[in-house]
Amino acid sequence: MGNIFKTQITFNCEAIVIRCVECIGKGWVYVHELKENLTSLETSVGQLRGIKNDMMRRISNAERKGKKCSDEVQFWFSRVDNKIDESNMLLKNRQHQIAKLCIGGCCSTNCYSSYKFAKKVDKRLKEVKDLVKQQKEFKEIAIVALPEPKVAVPVGTTVGLKSKLDSINSYLLDKDVGIVGIFGEGKVGKTTLLMEANNNICDETNSFELVILVNVSRQSMHESIQNHIGQKIGYSGEEWTSKSLYDKAVDILNVLKKKKFVLLLDNIFEAIDLTELGIPQKRLNMDYKVVFTTNSKRICSQMGAQKIVEVEPLGFEDSWGLFLNRIGEDILNANPEIHDLAKKLVRECCGIPIILIKWAKEMASKSTTQDWIDALKSSKTPLIDLEGIIDSKIAIEKDDDKWTTTLGGKVAATNVFGSPITDKTVRELPQYAGRRRITSKDRAVVAFAREAEDGKDVKAREYVNWLKMKYKDEHSTIGLFYNATGCTLNFSVYKDWHGYFNEGLYPKSVENGQWGVFVHMHEDSIVDRGGSSGAIVYSGENAFGDECDWMLAWDNPSVVNQAHTKVFTEAREKNHFHNCWLIIYDLLSKSGRQRRDTWGGCLSDISVEDTNGPFLTATLSLSLESAN
């Protein structure tokens, strides 16, 4: 028995020694550090997973700002996912592999198997640690995401524009044409035509690599165009937008000169030097095209357009077809009288698509003859009789984009109404007879008492109604104000928060005793509440003869109904309003539908009226009690 036991012990010891020699020969150190490496691997994988999740959150935030994950980081993510999966497979075998170890972890019952496993663990641990280290070296995890080079945009129904669109498409393919101008009155379909051209370029096979569509802003026009182009070609962020116009032009030029592109500019209101924007001039006809819309044929010429396309109001047949398409024929066929009234209503829309569509929507549920008679009456363009000289013909001078009319052989603005009340006017009144000196207070008192003299207030309101018909749009704002300050009010400055002023649609000066009218156009927007929100300032003198400013402000958002329109007014020292628009906008947002303000001998009163779209009425005068 003793010999047997001794032989067994000798055999077991020899086997252990042989295994240990095998482990030493094949990488004893891997097996010896297996337990420690498995613990480190588990910890490092958890750390790597946490880093990955943090980076994904940062990238998600960056994507909301228009950026995207860089290719370098994207590749890192794929490696992380792969190494985490491989590490988890090793960790699943942890207990089974540890059970094979013997002699305090220095050896294994299966040395070769443990050696291979331990070597994998060691390799995976180094790879995971390298990935943790690598993420610290990234300069940026998200980069500016370039928009799609060609993007189609939603376009409404187009009527009567096919031939114009065909011409534009042919010009884009003509190697002798580089610049195309599209002009016409407001709301006749210029923007729709431009968007259709954009979509045709995007849909059809052509050599253009890039299409840039810009809705031109009236504030900082050059800068807004450059910033939009910059976003399209990969330049954005505060660092780039804060560059000078020249430096931006250099950046834009060096990108665009390498591409075949089409630049589409909507609503140009003055000529632009394309070179200053950074638009390359070489090969302008061959590889680069510029197409723009404007209200003025003169601007087309100034921009150097080789081809000019005029967009005119629709003829009756096209107008009638558009109206029928929107309203349906059931209502009209049910009653011959309504059918005839509908045709008359369509003629009153003057071929303006947006007006036709709005009337069609409004009348779609009207089934009685009286409803249509009332609609026809409200659509009639009123006759404006200025001193018996002007009838229903109000001339719109397209080239100057101004409302003008001929009065006694002279050009006069139609947005000012009434004869000025001057010293001579005041002296002709019995109570001022023999007065040696007429003061601003005297002129203001007389003007205040004569705001309706000779029907000038009626004429001003008729003009407002005429404007409502032309700009049939409940989100644009028409302002009507009366000057009873005793002095001439001169335009000082305006502010656009939402929407815009067109040059010529506000009076440059309003004499004492006159009514002034302005139009502030609304602007559609897909990024904010849109509508018409702005302010206008006129300068004059207060009751003490000091220079001062009267400010009128309004907020007519397109996302809510007219009942939410707000107004605000103040009178302050000259140039007070030029640098405090944020404060004014805050005061406006907290205001209501009427406001009265007195300051330094000045008085301003403003309110909102709702009649087929809001318009504000205001009286600017002196606080006569302060002047006594």
Side-chain angles (χ1 to χ4, degrees):
M1 290 292 292
N3 291 335
I4 294 173
F5 180 74
K6 180 178 179 181
T7 302
Q8 184 67 40
I9 291 294
T10 301
F11 173 79
N12 289 340
C13 288
E14 288 176 354
I16 290 172
V17 170
I18 291 170
R19 291 189 187 104
C20 287
V21 170
E22 289 176 351
C23 287
I24 292 172
K26 299 209 177 186
W28 167 82
V29 70
Y30 290 125
V31 177
H32 177 65
E33 295 178 351
L34 179 59
K35 281 187 179 181
E36 182 181 346
N37 283 349
L38 283 169
T39 300
S40 296
L41 180 62
E42 184 177 36
T43 301
S44 297
V45 166
Q47 181 185 10
L48 183 61
R49 186 182 290 109
I51 292 171
K52 175 196 170 186
N53 292 339
D54 287 342
M55 289 181 67
M56 290 184 70
R57 280 190 288 270
R58 288 165 61 192
I59 288 173
S60 179
N61 290 334
E63 287 176 342
R64 284 193 284 270
K65 298 176 182 178
K67 295 186 175 183
K68 70 172 184 176
C69 179
S70 68
D71 292 341
E72 182 183 28
V73 174
Q74 193 65 53
F75 178 68
W76 182 85
F77 277 140
S78 66
R79 291 191 61 213
V80 166
D81 291 338
N82 181 261
K83 297 309 172 186
I84 288 178
D85 290 343
E86 291 178 356
S87 298
N88 286 335
M89 292 296 293
L90 294 174
L91 291 170
K92 283 183 180 180
N93 291 325
R94 180 177 190 171
Q95 296 302 323
H96 176 68
Q97 292 293 335
I98 289 176
K100 294 181 181 181
L101 301 179
C102 58
I103 313 180
C106 295
C107 195
S108 169
T109 57
N110 189 334
C111 283
Y112 186 68
S113 172
S114 294
Y115 159 72
K116 288 198 300 182
F117 181 79
K119 189 174 182 179
K120 286 182 180 179
V121 170
D122 182 78
K123 180 182 179 182
R124 207 67 68 236
L125 177 60
K126 290 178 179 177
E127 290 172 339
V128 170
K129 287 183 176 180
D130 284 344
L131 288 171
V132 171
K133 181 181 178 181
Q134 187 179 354
Q135 61 86 24
K136 298 178 181 179
E137 300 173 358
F138 293 140
K139 293 181 179 179
E140 53 183 359
I141 64 172
I143 59 176
V144 175
L146 283 177
E148 289 295 321
K150 298 180 181 181
V151 179
V153 295
V155 183
T157 304
T158 58
V159 177
L161 296 176
K162 186 178 183 306
S163 63
K164 308 291 184 183
L165 183 60
D166 289 343
S167 295
I168 293 171
N169 290 336
S170 68
Y171 297 151
L172 289 172
L173 300 177
D174 190 336
K175 294 182 180 180
D176 294 325
V177 177
I179 303 177
V180 180
I182 305 171
F183 83 97
E185 296 180 28
K187 308 296 184 182
V188 293
K190 300 186 300 295
T191 298
T192 299
L193 189 59
L194 194 70
M195 292 193 295
E196 284 281 14
N198 172 86
N199 291 352
N200 280 350
I201 302 169
C202 294
D203 293 341
E204 296 180 3
T205 302
N206 52 63
S207 61
F208 295 116
E209 304 168 76
L210 180 66
V211 182
I212 307 171
L213 175 62
V214 182
N215 182 14
V216 178
S217 170
R218 282 157 181 77
Q219 292 181 325
S220 304
M221 182 173 63
H222 285 71
E223 184 176 8
S224 68
I225 295 174
Q226 284 187 324
N227 288 344
H228 192 100
I229 295 174
Q231 290 175 359
K232 191 74 174 181
I233 61 177
Y235 291 116
S236 63
E238 185 177 349
E239 182 178 352
W240 193 79
T241 56
S242 61
K243 282 187 173 185
S244 68
L245 294 178
Y246 176 79
D247 289 339
K248 289 180 186 177
V250 171
D251 291 339
I252 291 171
L253 174 63
N254 283 286
V255 173
L256 292 186
K257 71 180 183 180
K258 302 172 185 177
K259 297 181 179 292
K260 293 185 176 182
F261 69 89
V262 179
L263 176 61
L264 306 173
L265 301 174
D266 187 29
N267 204 15
I268 295 293
F269 59 94
E270 64 181 32
I272 300 173
D273 187 333
L274 296 174
T275 303
E276 292 181 357
L277 294 178
I279 308 303
Q281 298 301 297
K282 290 184 178 180
R283 305 199 314 277
L284 184 59
N285 298 350
M286 300 284 290
D287 298 331
Y288 320 137
K289 304 284 183 177
V290 177
V291 184
F292 62 89
T293 68
T294 178
N295 287 348
S296 171
K297 186 176 181 180
R298 172 178 52 85
I299 291 177
C300 292
S301 300
Q302 292 176 341
M303 290 283 291
Q306 284 109 357
K307 295 294 181 180
I308 298 176
V309 178
E310 182 177 8
V311 183
E312 299 173 306
L314 300 176
F316 177 76
E317 292 301 325
D318 285 332
S319 297
W320 180 244
L322 176 59
F323 189 78
L324 284 180
N325 179 265
R326 291 305 180 108
I327 197 172
E329 297 188 27
D330 292 344
I331 293 177
L332 305 183
N333 293 336
N335 187 330
E337 288 186 62
I338 290 180
H339 191 277
D340 292 339
L341 289 168
K343 286 191 172 184
K344 293 179 181 179
L345 180 61
V346 166
R347 286 191 174 92
E348 291 297 329
C349 292
C350 304
I352 307 299
I354 191 171
I355 299 178
L356 288 160
I357 291 171
K358 288 193 174 186
W359 272 116
K361 288 180 179 179
E362 186 171 332
M363 301 308 295
S365 60
K366 308 297 183 182
S367 57
T368 69
T369 303
Q370 189 58 49
D371 286 335
W372 286 81
I373 292 173
D374 293 341
L376 186 60
K377 288 180 179 178
S378 66
S379 73
K380 291 285 186 181
T381 302
L383 300 183
I384 305 175
D385 183 12
L386 294 178
E387 308 296 337
I389 296 179
I390 309 171
D391 56 11
S392 59
K393 295 182 179 179
I394 300 295
I396 305 171
E397 186 177 318
K398 295 180 183 177
D399 283 354
D400 290 335
D401 298 328
K402 297 178 180 179
W403 298 97
T404 59
T405 184
T406 302
L407 183 60
K410 297 181 179 180
V411 174
T414 61
N415 50 11
V416 176
F417 299 84
S419 300
I421 293 178
T422 62
D423 288 356
K424 180 182 178 182
T425 311
V426 175
R427 283 195 174 94
E428 291 174 350
L429 299 175
Q431 61 268 41
Y432 293 96
R435 182 80 67 87
R436 295 180 60 185
R437 180 174 177 269
I438 301 297
T439 65
S440 60
K441 171 192 170 184
D442 299 327
R443 294 190 296 271
V445 168
V446 175
F448 199 87
R450 294 190 171 192
E451 69 173 28
E453 183 182 42
D454 297 329
K456 59 188 176 185
D457 60 328
V458 175
K459 294 169 186 173
R461 286 179 177 270
E462 284 180 342
Y463 181 67
V464 166
N465 290 334
W466 192 92
L467 290 172
K468 286 180 180 179
M469 181 61 198
K470 178 164 182 61
Y471 303 107
K472 191 170 177 62
D473 179 358
E474 65 271 23
H475 300 308
S476 291
T477 302
I478 300 176
L480 175 65
F481 64 98
Y482 184 65
N483 178 8
T485 65
C487 66
T488 300
L489 291 176
N490 293 306
F491 167 76
S492 175
V493 68
Y494 66 73
K495 175 66 176 178
D496 296 326
W497 287 297
H498 301 279
Y500 57 91
F501 272 110
N502 258 344
E503 181 70 22
L505 291 188
Y506 57 88
K508 292 299 178 70
S509 65
V510 182
E511 300 287 344
N512 180 55
Q514 289 185 323
W515 286 92
V517 180
F518 63 80
V519 182
H520 189 257
M521 306 300 295
H522 99 283
E523 196 159 46
D524 293 320
S525 175
I526 60 174
V527 297
D528 60 24
R529 35 59 56 88
S532 161
S533 180
I536 192 165
V537 178
Y538 282 88
S539 298
E541 294 181 355
N542 65 8
F544 309 107
D546 300 322
E547 289 186 318
C548 60
D549 287 345
W550 281 265
M551 183 274 300
L552 306 175
W554 58 92
D555 185 23
N556 175 23
S558 61
V559 295
V560 293
N561 60 44
Q562 295 171 11
H564 290 79
T565 301
K566 298 177 180 180
V567 291
F568 184 78
T569 186
E570 278 187 347
R572 293 294 185 270
E573 68 273 9
K574 186 173 177 60
N575 297 329
H576 169 81
F577 301 105
H578 289 219
N579 297 307
C580 60
W581 293 119
L582 288 176
I583 297 173
I584 296 300
Y585 191 74
D586 181 62
L587 292 171
L588 172 62
S589 66
K590 297 174 183 177
S591 188
R593 295 175 60 78
Q594 58 183 19
R595 161 84 177 179
R596 183 182 179 90
D597 181 70
T598 57
W599 174 89
C602 301
L603 172 66
S604 55
D605 204 327
I606 190 172
S607 60
V608 181
E609 296 185 28
D610 285 338
T611 52
N612 298 323
F615 74 91
L616 60 89
T617 57
T619 300
L620 310 179
S621 59
L622 300 182
S623 178
L624 300 179
E625 294 81 2
S626 302
N628 288 332

